[in-house]
Amino acid sequence: MHDVFRRLYRRRFGTDVESIAPLAVDGSARRMSRLRGSDGRTAIAVVGPDSEENRAFLSFSASFRGIGLPVPEVWIADEAAGVYLVEDLGDTTLFRALTDERAKAHGAFPSTMLPIYRRVLEVLPRFQVEGGRAVDYAVAYPRAAFDRQSMTWDLNYFKYHFLKLAHVPFNEDRLERDMGRLVDFLLTADVSHFLYRDFQSRNVMLRGHDPWFIDFQGGRRGALQYDVASILYDAKAAIPIDVRESLLDHYLAALSTHLPVDHARFREHFRGYVVIRILQAMGAYGYRGWFERKPHFLQSVPPAVANLEHLLATGFVPLDVPELRAVLERICQTPAFRSVAPNVATGLTVRVGSFSYREGLPDDPSGNGGGFVFDCRGIENPGLLDAFRALNGLDSDVRRFLDREAAVDPFFERVLGLVEAQVATYVKREWTSLDVQFGCTGGQHRSVYFAERLAMTLRGYRPDVRVVVVHRERARWPRPPASDAPPVPQSITDSR
């Protein structure tokens, strides 16, 4: 597939691809990579195995850009190969920004995120109303509308992949009746607008404080309430109740500039759409976590349960659905669903490091002796050149020098193949620590470059694995890294 990436990149930009790095895609069959060209330009390559889903994305993207909505530009597509290149919006999602700011606020919802969330909710009605007039619903996938069939699929997803896999008892006949009543109620809302379908904090990218929007290929005609429910009840975002209410008011004010809104009726239906959205998400958590054995999805169960508990305590929905209510109460009363299991929270930690052979091999703090040591000394040493002697592998000039070296990519691909296989094995066996070390003469240029590159790659496509980066010789470097050196996403750089 890399040959297709290179061909499309060259056809669109007239230059060659110098590096290809895979990116994380949690719950999708699509695969993504960041391409970096010889001129420093980047693009995101998307491989979509479903041609109908690809067609929906490409069509919706053209419609949205045509009316000035902030979505990435599609640079070029090869629909027969199922590959397209899109504008690179960076690595900062709304969720990542929220997580970083929340850490600074010691766990509280950070006030710095409120203006950003408000801006997101100001743009959402444009997608729903203006976008709803512009898109071609004939290409919507897998349905043209979030209709009775779609809702039934979602509720059955919850039933079969959460309730049954988690062994939550229920009366199937009575639950089916109640689910039917919920669907009847939801369909009494205005269902004539664009429903984004997966409108969550991971699908909003931030450039500065400006939101950009991705992953709308599942969009279809539907109710306005669904997408607002999706983002305000995004489980791991854990938005406080009072903040949710304030943001919902802000959204309704923005929506009112596009069409008349009966606020009381909107809120009545809103609670129903919150319920179906949470149940659909819990079905996904169960399927991905218990069936596909991707335990990080189960981390979202406790906050989803907390959301259900709040709904049950504040009136639930204006319907007679006793079995559905009873099932949700059983979930909320089950201790196992209120906290993340230890093996989910811990998982595998990959300790990636750089060192100097002059100072000896690095220690293994885990004590298990598991992992690799790779010798980078066969790669051309930028430290022998005056221009790079005072720099290190975190500096952009050193990275560009090594990116251009012919031996670098083949070396890295062999390393990655070995590490990927070992990571998969360790995760499967539920082992908790793997060490990967890169050594060079001084522990300053080549080893640092490869350690950072591997860490970024692992974090890009293994969100279930914690990556720790340790540059052992950092205290001996002639100078600190330049400010333009990008941090490895979600990793820890240690100066020991």
Side-chain angles (χ1 to χ4, degrees), residues 242-411:
D242 59 333
V243 176
R244 276 196 201 120
E245 285 299 313
S246 170
L247 290 174
L248 180 57
D249 285 339
H250 191 80
Y251 165 80
L252 289 171
L255 179 62
S256 297
T257 66
H258 294 270
L259 46 77
V261 182
D262 181 335
H263 287 217
R265 184 167 173 77
F266 185 99
R267 285 175 174 276
E268 191 174 75
H269 283 108
F270 176 71
R271 292 181 71 85
Y273 278 98
V274 169
V275 170
I276 195 171
R277 174 60 180 179
I278 292 176
L279 299 190
Q280 184 275 334
M282 291 181 75
Y285 304 151
Y287 180 77
R288 303 293 183 187
W290 290 314
F291 182 76
E292 291 191 339
R293 299 189 181 278
K294 297 177 179 178
H296 64 283
F297 279 94
L298 300 179
Q299 295 176 14
S300 295
V301 172
V305 170
N307 286 336
L308 285 176
E309 188 172 47
H310 169 70
L311 288 169
L312 289 167
T314 56
F316 195 41
V317 291
L319 298 171
D320 180 25
V321 284
E323 184 67 14
L324 178 58
R325 174 186 278 275
V327 164
L328 300 185
E329 287 174 346
R330 287 185 200 114
I331 291 172
C332 292
Q333 293 163 6
T334 302
F337 301 141
R338 304 304 299 268
S339 61
V340 180
N343 65 320
V344 172
T346 303
L348 173 65
T349 295
V350 180
R351 182 174 179 267
V352 182
S354 66
F355 69 94
S356 165
Y357 276 100
R358 292 171 179 162
E359 306 299 327
L361 294 174
D363 296 329
D364 173 20
S366 73
N368 66 28
F372 302 94
V373 174
F374 295 106
D375 187 347
C376 307
R377 289 175 294 183
I379 303 296
E380 188 73 22
N381 185 3
L384 298 177
L385 303 176
D386 290 341
F388 304 121
R389 191 163 288 127
L391 304 181
N392 56 70
L394 296 177
D395 288 302
S396 57
D397 288 345
V398 173
R399 296 198 310 271
R400 281 192 289 268
F401 174 90
L402 289 170
D403 283 344
R404 290 193 292 266
E405 285 297 305
V408 164
D409 281 352
F411 176 85

Side-chain angles (χ1 to χ4, degrees), residues 1 8 10 51 101 112 152 186 207 239 241 302 311 393 411:
M1 195 57 70
L8 290 177
R10 182 160 189 79
S51 60
E101 290 297 303
T112 53
T152 301
L186 296 175
R207 282 180 164 179
I239 300 174
I241 296 167
L311 288 169
F411 176 85

